[in-house]
Amino acid sequence: MKTLLIIAIASALVNNVVLSQFLGLCPFLGVSKKVKTAAGMGAAVIFVITLASAVAAVIYQFVLEPNGLAYLETIVFILVIAALVQFVEMFLKKFLKSLYQSLGVYLPLITTNCAVLGVALTNVQKSYDVLTSIVNGFATAAGFTIAIVILAGIREKTEHNDVPESFRGMPITMITAGLMAIAFCGFSGLL
């Protein structure tokens, strides 16, 4: 249990997928204009990464590795992720239409979000079992959600501030993300 807690804290805060590994920057920068949209994207990413971690771990441990097919891990994981994202997209389109419309093109981008594939491959590289893979996936996605919601909150505040013209838009967003990355470095003392 202690090991799982350490992995969860390390994945969410210390080795934040966006702010220290620089994976998943497209949705991080693209969907972080409003907190509500960012939280919705974070929820979708939590669901997809957690489920993808579980399915990928099961497939790798019980199908690929025993049959000597471990070299197919990347292709298989991409197919699993694509199927899961399609499931999430259909669910949101049917039950949460406003969130589906606000996420727009960024929802299908979860399919190509390198963070999702990165977590699945990290789980394999670190030889995590299924439970540890699920915990790592959930914590990594929670870290992504924390980062995107914080950035969205800051972007909402800076939208109404007197920012110099040359820094408006993406420049101030990049500066903010850089400062957030520096701030998250402070979590490295936790472990």
Side-chain angles (χ1 to χ4, degrees), residues 52-62 64-65 69-74 76-77 116-130 132-134 136-137:
S53 296
V55 173
V58 168
I59 289 173
Y60 183 80
Q61 286 184 359
F62 300 111
L64 297 179
E65 194 174 37
L69 300 171
Y71 62 91
L72 293 173
E73 66 188 16
T74 304
V76 171
F77 293 171
V116 183
L117 181 60
V119 172
L121 293 174
T122 299
N123 291 338
V124 168
Q125 289 171 352
K126 292 187 176 183
S127 301
Y128 288 160
D129 61 2
V130 176
T132 309
S133 295
I134 293 169
N136 184 51

Side-chain angles (χ1 to χ4, degrees), residues 21-86:
Q21 296 177 16
F22 306 113
L23 297 174
L25 290 175
C26 291
F28 178 68
L29 296 173
V31 184
S32 61
K33 291 181 181 176
K34 301 286 180 203
V35 172
K36 186 176 179 180
T37 307
M41 176 60 117
V45 168
I46 286 174
F47 179 76
V48 169
I49 289 182
T50 304
L51 202 55
S53 296
V55 173
V58 168
I59 289 173
Y60 183 80
Q61 286 184 359
F62 300 111
V63 177
L64 297 179
E65 194 174 37
N67 294 314
L69 300 171
Y71 62 91
L72 293 173
E73 66 188 16
T74 304
I75 295 169
V76 171
F77 293 171
I78 289 171
L79 293 173
V80 166
I81 292 164
L84 289 173
V85 170
Q86 290 301 311

Side-chain angles (χ1 to χ4, degrees), residues 93-157:
K93 190 174 185 179
K94 183 160 180 94
F95 297 108
L96 300 169
K97 289 185 183 195
S98 61
L99 179 59
Y100 174 78
Q101 291 172 346
S102 65
L103 290 175
V105 72
Y106 293 101
L107 185 59
L109 280 178
I110 295 176
T111 305
T112 58
N113 186 343
C114 53
V116 183
L117 181 60
V119 172
L121 293 174
T122 299
N123 291 338
V124 168
Q125 289 171 352
K126 292 187 176 183
S127 301
Y128 288 160
D129 61 2
V130 176
L131 177 63
T132 309
S133 295
I134 293 169
V135 169
N136 184 51
F138 177 80
T140 300
F144 175 87
T145 303
I146 290 167
I148 196 171
V149 168
I150 290 172
L151 182 65
I154 294 171
R155 285 181 77 174
E156 281 184 0
K157 296 290 183 186

Side-chain angles (χ1 to χ4, degrees), residues 13 16 20 30 52 54 57 69 73 94 98 126 160 167-168 171 187:
L13 300 175
N16 188 286
S20 71
L69 300 171
E73 66 188 16
K94 183 160 180 94
S98 61
K126 292 187 176 183
H160 304 294
F167 288 107
R168 288 190 188 139
F187 290 122

